[in-house]
Amino acid sequence: MSSLRFLSLALLGLGLLLGSSLQAGHAQQTDTTEDTALPELTPPERESDVPYVPTPEPVVDRMLALATVDETDVVYDLGSGDGRIVIRAARKHGARGVGIEIDPDLVEKARKNAEEAGVANLVEFRQGDLFTADISEATVVTLYLLPSVNQKLRPILFEQLSPGTPVVSHDFDMGRWAPDRTVDLEGDTIYLWSIPEEVPEDL
């Protein structure tokens, strides 16, 4: 066999060996990615009860301040949109946060916003129906919904949240449940309640 033919065969064998190694490494990397993937987002079973309108950041800051959020809190935002409330709670106060949002596109956007803000380790965004979600872990709940939705949520808040848990709503009240505080902020209204030890019979 000529030296040139021997060299060609040797190079071919080396190429096959390297190709097999690269494929094995790629397969291993793919498996690792799948293990850490977020739950798949799916089309919602029903339409949202509320149109998406983001809360202005000054209002977000005042809502969190009224609820005296700190690093010990778990903030749940019901109808979390682009995630700005729980992301702000994490960035400014070190709190953990969970957003519940029915729209998969908004959930995806919120997750990207959390990554860009550097707080993906503190916040979580779940696609789901806020009327069936488990919110019992919450130490603070924030809302920017409609009056009818707030009132439909009211018994769920009473049932799942511990007494003393702050509930803060942008612009819309809770009907017969009178707020502990109402703040006007340049055209926006913020309402604050605290879950009572015993729910009044007229609620």
Side-chain angles (χ1 to χ4, degrees):
M1 180 184 296
S2 68
S3 58
L4 181 59
R5 181 174 175 74
F6 178 80
L7 179 60
S8 298
L9 289 172
L11 290 173
L12 178 60
L14 180 60
L16 291 172
L17 181 61
L18 289 173
S20 298
S21 299
L22 288 172
Q23 287 179 351
H26 177 70
Q28 184 176 4
Q29 183 179 5
T30 302
D31 290 344
T32 302
T33 302
E34 289 176 355
D35 288 342
T36 58
L38 292 168
E40 182 179 353
L41 301 177
T42 59
E45 295 182 358
R46 64 179 185 83
E47 294 295 320
S48 173
D49 297 284
V50 180
Y52 169 56
V53 180
T55 298
E57 291 202 0
V59 178
V60 171
D61 283 339
R62 192 60 189 273
M63 291 172 74
L64 298 175
L66 278 174
T68 63
V69 171
D70 63 26
E71 68 277 0
T72 67
D73 281 309
V74 182
V75 179
Y76 271 61
D77 186 24
L78 306 185
S80 52
D82 64 2
R84 64 181 57 198
I85 292 180
V86 293
I87 289 172
R88 186 65 171 167
R91 287 191 70 182
K92 187 173 182 181
H93 302 283
R96 292 194 297 118
V98 177
I100 309 294
E101 172 59 54
I102 200 169
D103 186 333
D105 293 333
L106 288 173
V107 173
E108 183 66 27
K109 183 176 183 180
R111 289 174 178 172
K112 289 179 180 177
N113 289 344
E115 290 282 355
E116 292 172 1
V119 295
N121 61 317
L122 289 175
V123 302
E124 176 186 355
F125 295 99
R126 303 172 186 168
Q127 183 191 4
D129 187 331
L130 54 86
F131 295 111
T132 59
D134 180 359
I135 62 170
S136 58
E137 180 193 23
T139 62
V140 174
V141 170
T142 60
L143 311 168
Y144 186 18
L145 304 169
L146 295 174
S148 59
V149 180
N150 280 357
Q151 292 180 47
K152 186 177 177 182
L153 267 177
R154 194 172 62 198
I156 297 172
L157 300 176
F158 291 151
E159 178 182 355
Q160 293 200 33
L161 300 178
S162 300
T165 302
V167 177
V168 192
S169 174
H170 175 201
D171 269 351
F172 301 112
D173 64 18
M174 288 274 187
R176 294 192 306 274
W177 187 19
D180 299 331
R181 288 190 63 185
T182 302
V183 175
D184 292 321
L185 190 65
E186 298 181 1
D188 291 279
T189 304
I190 304 170
Y191 299 93
L192 171 70
W193 299 264
S194 181
I195 298 296
E197 290 282 349
E198 295 184 8
V199 180
E201 292 184 3
D202 61 349
L203 295 179

